Amino acid sequence: MPGTILGGRYQVQDKIGTGGMATVYRGLDEVLGRTVAIKTMLPQYASDPSFAARFKQEAQAAAALQSPYIVSVYDWGKDADTYYIVMEYLRGTDLKSGIRKHGALDCKKVAQIGSQIAQALSVAHKHDIIHRDIKPQNIMVQPDGNIKVMDFGIARAKNSHLTQDNSVLGTAHYVSPEQTQGKELGPTTDIYSLGIVMYEAATGQVPFQGDDAISVALKQVNEQPKPPSQLNPAVDPSLESIILKCMQKNPAARFQTADELYHTLRDYLAGRMQAVNSATAMLAAQATNKIDRGAGVQPVTSGTASMPRVERTNRYRAQSATEQAAEEEAARQRKHRRNVVLGVIGALVAVAVAAFVVISALQTGAAMRPVPNLIGMDQEEAIDKIRESGFEVGDVKTTYSAEYEEGKVVEQSPTSTQTAEEGSKINIRVSSGESPVDKVAVPDLKNLTEEEAMDRCEEYGLLGRKGEDQEDGNIEAGKVCAQDTEPGEMIARGSTITFHLSSGAGTVDVPDVTGHDADSAESDLAKLGLVVKRDYAHSDGDAEGTVIRTDPAAGTSVEEGREVTIYISLGPEPVETVTVPYVIGYSYSTASSMLSSQGFVVQLAVGSSANGTVIDQSVYNSATYGATITLTTQSETTGGGNGGGSETGDYGNGGQTDPNTGTDTDSGETNANET
C-alpha cells in the first residue's frame, strides 16, 4: 500500500501499473533520495514456495545485467510476505503506445530501435537469460529517443532448475512457434519476438491477428506473415529481409545470436547493403510468398505459402496433392472442434460476467455508469466531465510527460474501458511537461583511437558508436577524424555519439589545367581536395592570366590535401630601353667602356682600329638593353693631330701623319678642338 516502507528504505508511493504477476509503484529510495520503480509480486504468487525461489534466482540474474538499453535492477528482497524488486524509474512512453499514436515508423527508426533491443538481448543471452516476453509494451522509449528493455522479471535463466512452472506465457501476438508448442527455448526465441516487434513498428500492425490468444498462437506455428512491404510500401527490401529472417518458423533459419542481428542492423543503418544482403541471403522463399520449386514450397490459394515438410535427413521434399488435401481436411476438423470448444467457453464466460454485473448491482444498489475518456483534456475540462458523468473527482496529481503538454490529463483511474458505480471517484494524473533532461557537453574525440573514443564517451555518460571510416590526410589512419555531433554541444546524457576513423589520405591525379584562367583552374583543383598556391612568370606564348604549367605536373598522382602550384602567365617579358651615351671623339677603349657599363654590346666597324678615336656610332639616342652598338674609328693611315682627323680633314688639324714616325708632315691652321 502507498506509504509502506519496504526493506527499511524504499517508500511505496502511487501505483503506476499492474501486470499478470506484479503491481508496480513509484517509490522513493530514502537512503539515496532518488525516485525508483518498485515491483511487488501478487499475493497468490508470493505464497507459492517454488515461485518464491524462482523469483529470488531471477531477480539476482536480472540485477547482473548491465546495459544502457536494459532497465537497471537496483535491489530486491522480501519484507514480511511481500517480494519486491527495486528498479530504475523511467520517464517516457512504451513503444506500443507510440505505434498506436503515430502509426508505422520510418525504416531507419525501426532499425535503430531493433539494434538497441538486440544489444540488450545480447547482454542477457551472454548471462544465459532468455527474456521470453519481448513485445512493444516492454520497450520504453525515453525522451532522448533511446530505448530500455523492461520486465526481465519473468525471464528464465537457462541454468535454472526451477522450470516446472511454465504457465506464464508472453503475449500471444509476439511468442515464437516453439514457445507456443512448449519446446525448449533458446536465444532465437527472443529474436523471433523482436522480429515481430520490428514488423509492427514498420507496418503499424502485428502480423498475426485472431479472436483469441489460442487462434493467434496457432497462426504463429502454421502461417507465414505477409511481407511488411505489402502493408506499408515504404518498407525497403533490405529491412524487410532482416525482419523476415528473424521471423522464420525454424529457429535454425533465424539469426543465431543477438550480436549477429545487431551487426546486420548496424550495417543497414550505415548503408552497407552488400553486408545486409549477405546476412539475409539464405532467407526462405516462402517468406515472400514466391514459389520456389527447388525449395519444396507449394502455392496455396490463401495467399500464404505452406512450409516444406522436413524429413529426418533434414532435406526438403514437396507434399503431394493428396497429402496436402488430407492435411487441409484434418486442419479444418481441428479448427471446427476448437471453435466449438471456444464457443462454449465464450458463452459460459459471457453468462458469468452478466451474472456478476447483475449481482453486484443488486448488492450495492448503485447504478453502473461508463467511465468517460479524459485523456488529453485540460485539467478543468476533465473535472467538469467527471462531474457531468455522475462521478466524483478523486486524486489529482501531476507527472512528467513527453507525449502530452503541460496541463493535459495523461492517466486516469479507472480507465474509460471500464464501468464504475455512480458517484465513485475518478483519479487523474496531469502532465507537468517533459521531464528535465540531464545534459552534458559533447567531448572532442579527434585524434583518439576507437577504444579511447568509446572510453571518453563513457566518461561523459554518453554512448560511443563507430561510423564508416573516412579519408583524411591530416589525421593518422585508425584515429578519429570526425564526429556527427560537434564538440561542446549540450545533449541528453545517455545519447549516442557517432564518430568516424581516418583511413588515411586519398590520392588524386593532378588534372591538366594549362590554358585555363587562374580562378577556374584553382576551383577545379580545390574540388579534388588539393591546396592551391599561385606563382607568376613571363611567357611569350601564353595569354596573360592563363595557367602556364603546374607543379607537380599534370597527371601526377598525389595525396589529397597536397599543395599544387599553378604558374600564371604575365604575358611577354617587357622590353627595357636605355639611353645610349654619346661617345664620338673618345678613344675606342673609353667609348667601349662607357657603352658596356650601360649594358650594351660594343662592336668595332669593319676597317676601324681599336687604337683609334671614335668618329661614328650606329645608335645615338636609345636602344634595347643589351643591344649591339657598332663604333667606327679614325683610320690608322690618316692624320690625327690632337685627337685625329678624317681623310677629308673634317676632324683634327687637317695635317698628314707619317705612318712610321707619327709626326705631322703638313701643318694645318684648323685646331681639332674647334671641330
Side-chain angles (χ1 to χ4, degrees), residues 635-648:
S635 172
E636 294 181 1
T637 59
T638 59
N642 294 330
S646 67
E647 292 184 75
T648 59

PDB file of all heavy atoms in Angstrom, residues 635-648:
ATOM      1  N   SER A 635      90.778  56.058 -89.320  1.00  0.00           N
ATOM      2  CA  SER A 635      91.680  55.099 -89.949  1.00  0.00           C
ATOM      3  C   SER A 635      93.101  55.356 -89.489  1.00  0.00           C
ATOM      4  O   SER A 635      93.518  56.497 -89.296  1.00  0.00           O
ATOM      5  CB  SER A 635      91.588  55.224 -91.486  1.00  0.00           C
ATOM      6  OG  SER A 635      92.576  54.445 -92.095  1.00  0.00           O
ATOM      7  N   GLU A 636      93.900  54.271 -89.330  1.00  0.00           N
ATOM      8  CA  GLU A 636      95.286  54.396 -88.889  1.00  0.00           C
ATOM      9  C   GLU A 636      96.142  55.134 -89.931  1.00  0.00           C
ATOM     10  O   GLU A 636      97.207  55.633 -89.622  1.00  0.00           O
ATOM     11  CB  GLU A 636      95.875  53.003 -88.637  1.00  0.00           C
ATOM     12  CG  GLU A 636      95.231  52.273 -87.469  1.00  0.00           C
ATOM     13  CD  GLU A 636      95.874  50.930 -87.251  1.00  0.00           C
ATOM     14  OE1 GLU A 636      96.805  50.578 -87.979  1.00  0.00           O
ATOM     15  OE2 GLU A 636      95.414  50.200 -86.341  1.00  0.00           O
ATOM     16  N   THR A 637      95.748  55.234 -91.164  1.00  0.00           N
ATOM     17  CA  THR A 637      96.570  55.830 -92.227  1.00  0.00           C
ATOM     18  C   THR A 637      96.306  57.309 -92.410  1.00  0.00           C
ATOM     19  O   THR A 637      96.902  57.960 -93.252  1.00  0.00           O
ATOM     20  CB  THR A 637      96.309  55.129 -93.581  1.00  0.00           C
ATOM     21  OG1 THR A 637      94.930  55.262 -93.886  1.00  0.00           O
ATOM     22  CG2 THR A 637      96.667  53.669 -93.485  1.00  0.00           C
ATOM     23  N   THR A 638      95.380  57.891 -91.718  1.00  0.00           N
ATOM     24  CA  THR A 638      95.080  59.318 -91.857  1.00  0.00           C
ATOM     25  C   THR A 638      95.478  60.057 -90.625  1.00  0.00           C
ATOM     26  O   THR A 638      95.570  59.487 -89.534  1.00  0.00           O
ATOM     27  CB  THR A 638      93.590  59.532 -92.135  1.00  0.00           C
ATOM     28  OG1 THR A 638      92.837  58.956 -91.036  1.00  0.00           O
ATOM     29  CG2 THR A 638      93.177  58.910 -93.443  1.00  0.00           C
ATOM     30  N   GLY A 639      95.745  61.364 -90.790  1.00  0.00           N
ATOM     31  CA  GLY A 639      96.275  62.182 -89.703  1.00  0.00           C
ATOM     32  C   GLY A 639      95.283  62.324 -88.580  1.00  0.00           C
ATOM     33  O   GLY A 639      94.086  62.243 -88.755  1.00  0.00           O
ATOM     34  N   GLY A 640      95.890  62.689 -87.451  1.00  0.00           N
ATOM     35  CA  GLY A 640      95.035  62.815 -86.280  1.00  0.00           C
ATOM     36  C   GLY A 640      95.271  64.095 -85.552  1.00  0.00           C
ATOM     37  O   GLY A 640      94.365  64.652 -84.962  1.00  0.00           O
ATOM     38  N   GLY A 641      96.499  64.635 -85.497  1.00  0.00           N
ATOM     39  CA  GLY A 641      96.766  65.833 -84.690  1.00  0.00           C
ATOM     40  C   GLY A 641      96.273  65.593 -83.289  1.00  0.00           C
ATOM     41  O   GLY A 641      96.486  64.562 -82.710  1.00  0.00           O
ATOM     42  N   ASN A 642      95.614  66.593 -82.748  1.00  0.00           N
ATOM     43  CA  ASN A 642      95.037  66.497 -81.400  1.00  0.00           C
ATOM     44  C   ASN A 642      93.689  65.757 -81.485  1.00  0.00           C
ATOM     45  O   ASN A 642      92.641  66.331 -81.698  1.00  0.00           O
ATOM     46  CB  ASN A 642      94.794  67.881 -80.816  1.00  0.00           C
ATOM     47  CG  ASN A 642      96.091  68.624 -80.569  1.00  0.00           C
ATOM     48  OD1 ASN A 642      97.107  67.981 -80.300  1.00  0.00           O
ATOM     49  ND2 ASN A 642      96.064  69.947 -80.683  1.00  0.00           N
ATOM     50  N   GLY A 643      93.755  64.543 -81.371  1.00  0.00           N
ATOM     51  CA  GLY A 643      92.511  63.757 -81.436  1.00  0.00           C
ATOM     52  C   GLY A 643      92.296  63.168 -82.781  1.00  0.00           C
ATOM     53  O   GLY A 643      91.353  62.436 -82.978  1.00  0.00           O
ATOM     54  N   GLY A 644      93.109  63.416 -83.749  1.00  0.00           N
ATOM     55  CA  GLY A 644      92.973  62.749 -85.051  1.00  0.00           C
ATOM     56  C   GLY A 644      91.956  63.407 -85.923  1.00  0.00           C
ATOM     57  O   GLY A 644      91.195  64.281 -85.538  1.00  0.00           O
ATOM     58  N   GLY A 645      91.996  63.015 -87.178  1.00  0.00           N
ATOM     59  CA  GLY A 645      91.057  63.590 -88.134  1.00  0.00           C
ATOM     60  C   GLY A 645      90.748  62.595 -89.200  1.00  0.00           C
ATOM     61  O   GLY A 645      91.362  61.544 -89.295  1.00  0.00           O
ATOM     62  N   SER A 646      89.875  62.956 -90.073  1.00  0.00           N
ATOM     63  CA  SER A 646      89.494  62.050 -91.155  1.00  0.00           C
ATOM     64  C   SER A 646      90.339  62.361 -92.370  1.00  0.00           C
ATOM     65  O   SER A 646      91.045  63.358 -92.416  1.00  0.00           O
ATOM     66  CB  SER A 646      88.013  62.248 -91.486  1.00  0.00           C
ATOM     67  OG  SER A 646      87.800  63.524 -92.046  1.00  0.00           O
ATOM     68  N   GLU A 647      90.184  61.475 -93.342  1.00  0.00           N
ATOM     69  CA  GLU A 647      90.947  61.686 -94.557  1.00  0.00           C
ATOM     70  C   GLU A 647      90.540  62.985 -95.249  1.00  0.00           C
ATOM     71  O   GLU A 647      91.286  63.568 -95.981  1.00  0.00           O
ATOM     72  CB  GLU A 647      90.714  60.502 -95.524  1.00  0.00           C
ATOM     73  CG  GLU A 647      91.308  59.203 -95.018  1.00  0.00           C
ATOM     74  CD  GLU A 647      91.140  58.118 -96.045  1.00  0.00           C
ATOM     75  OE1 GLU A 647      91.840  58.085 -97.044  1.00  0.00           O
ATOM     76  OE2 GLU A 647      90.260  57.279 -95.838  1.00  0.00           O
ATOM     77  N   THR A 648      89.370  63.418 -95.009  1.00  0.00           N
ATOM     78  CA  THR A 648      88.895  64.638 -95.674  1.00  0.00           C
ATOM     79  C   THR A 648      89.219  65.867 -94.872  1.00  0.00           C
ATOM     80  O   THR A 648      88.930  66.975 -95.290  1.00  0.00           O
ATOM     81  CB  THR A 648      87.379  64.576 -95.884  1.00  0.00           C
ATOM     82  OG1 THR A 648      86.762  64.434 -94.592  1.00  0.00           O
ATOM     83  CG2 THR A 648      86.992  63.408 -96.757  1.00  0.00           C
TER      84      THR A 648
END
